[in-house]
Amino acid sequence: MSVARVTEITASSKKSFQDAIEKGISRAAKTLKNVQGAWIQEQKVVVEDGQIAAYRVNMKVTFILTD
């Protein structure tokens, strides 16, 4: 039997939502073992002087707990 845990993280990128997602998953995988998936809960842009300055995503990352 497996037991999973979900943690919420926020990631940001100056390039795109896709890049923010990839950065967030990559960083989560450095700390969390057995990352199995993620649910992108929210996407947001930061606007400065009428231009997009950053892309942000809030995601819930699922990982399997080990003994």
Side-chain angles (χ1 to χ4, degrees):
M1 178 176 99
S2 296
V3 176
R5 182 175 173 117
V6 177
T7 189
E8 189 169 338
I9 64 170
T10 300
S12 182
S13 168
K14 293 186 181 218
K15 292 197 305 190
S16 66
F17 287 120
Q18 181 69 29
D19 190 52
I21 293 166
E22 290 175 7
K23 284 181 177 182
I25 295 296
S26 176
R27 178 59 184 89
K30 287 181 181 178
T31 304
L32 306 172
K33 302 288 185 201
N34 303 316
V35 172
Q36 298 295 307
W39 171 47
I40 308 308
Q41 191 172 11
E42 183 179 29
Q43 295 180 331
K44 173 184 169 181
V45 293
V46 176
V47 177
E48 294 176 0
D49 298 322
Q51 300 291 321
I52 295 174
Y55 299 86
R56 290 197 179 140
V57 293
N58 289 338
M59 62 181 105
K60 291 188 176 183
V61 178
T62 304
F63 59 100
I64 304 299
L65 299 176
T66 59
D67 294 330

